């Protein structure tokens, strides 16, 4: 199957491409098909936003479209930044500004439990939809470590590994990450519905 990845985030696309290629899905970018569309994420859940993105790109291209909507959920912040992870703190901030803001908002909090969530949605031209969710649990670190990954990875501490997500190799991250878990669940659901040779 040939599918368009509904994203402009190069690092996220690289991770999705690596895992989807193992499913035999030929992934093309929006740039490859000449569609420069960035649908507004008006949903209040990861599921709604993943569906909004995939449906808009499928409609614009006529091809199956796959989107990921993901973010960091922090218990002590009532689930923030959640679906607003990419926009935390407003316009004009970069990834580093955002995790710095998060660390500031966590000052004095004893409960540092958090999780990354990823929802993958594929919308097919016939309107069918395959959706899956993956999570990985961790702890908000006291400070940043590592320079791999992207986004909040430098402050996402994995107690059982003794390091942050940004200290893992790309392969190690894919093996345990929310996005890796969502894509593996996606694969299972896809194969249950359509078999293994699509
Ligand atoms: P989206 O493009 O609306 O799904 O935004 C996802 C945002 O969540 C990203 O911009 C990051 O801030 C954060 N995020 C999602 N996945 C990861 C990850 O694997 N590592 C670190 N941050 C992530």
């Amino acid at each position: 199957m040939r599918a368009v990845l509904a994203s402009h985030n190069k690092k996220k696309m690289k991770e999705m491409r690596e895992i989807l290629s193992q499913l035999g899905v030929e992934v093309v970018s929006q740039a490859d098909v000449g569609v420069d569309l960035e649908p507004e994420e008006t949903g209040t859940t990861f599921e709604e936003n993943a569906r909004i993105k995939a449906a808009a790109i499928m409609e614009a291209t006529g091809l199956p479209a796959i989107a990921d909507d993901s973010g960091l959920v922090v218990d002590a912040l009532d689930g923030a930044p959640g679906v607003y992870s990419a926009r935390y703190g407003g316009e004009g901030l970069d990834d580093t500004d955002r995790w710095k803001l998060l660390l500031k908002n966590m000052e004095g909090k004893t409960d540092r439990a958090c999780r990354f969530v990823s929802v993958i949605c594929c919308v097919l031209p016939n309107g069918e939809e395959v959706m899956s969710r993956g999570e990985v649990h961790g702890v908000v670190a006291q400070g940043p470590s590592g320079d791999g990954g992207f986004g909040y990875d430098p402050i996402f501490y994995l107690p059982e590994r003794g390091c942050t997500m940004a200290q893992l190799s790309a392969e190690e991250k894919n093996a345990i990450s929310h996005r890796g878990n969502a894509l593996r669940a996606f694969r299972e659901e896809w194969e249950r519905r359509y078999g293994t040779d699509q």
Side-chain angles (χ1 to χ4, degrees), residues 111-125:
D111 176 8
R112 302 187 72 90
C114 63
R115 62 189 190 275
F116 275 133
V117 176
S118 162
V119 170
I120 305 288
C121 179
C122 176
V123 177
L124 300 172

Side-chain angles (χ1 to χ4, degrees), residues 9 12 15 41 53 68-72 85-86 95 116 150-153 173 178-179:
N9 179 331
K12 199 200 254 189
E15 290 183 6
E41 297 178 27
K53 290 189 267 189
D68 151 286
D69 196 62
S70 47
L72 178 67
S85 293
D95 279 358
F116 275 133
F150 67 98
Y152 299 89
D153 282 345
K173 180 179 172 183
H178 50 315
R179 194 163 297 103

Side-chain angles (χ1 to χ4, degrees), residues 83-150:
V83 292
Y84 306 106
S85 293
R87 295 166 271 170
Y88 193 47
E91 297 276 308
L93 301 195
D94 64 13
D95 279 358
T96 306
D97 299 329
R98 279 188 282 271
W99 61 244
K100 280 188 176 164
L101 173 65
L102 188 95
L103 287 185
K104 193 165 173 293
N105 291 340
M106 286 298 285
E107 278 170 14
K109 309 268 188 207
T110 45
D111 176 8
R112 302 187 72 90
C114 63
R115 62 189 190 275
F116 275 133
V117 176
S118 162
V119 170
I120 305 288
C121 179
C122 176
V123 177
L124 300 172
N126 66 6
E128 284 176 36
E129 173 186 296
V130 178
M131 199 181 272
S132 64
R133 173 185 262 253
E135 299 191 357
V136 58
H137 291 250
V139 167
V140 178
Q142 298 291 344
S145 302
D147 52 16
F150 67 98

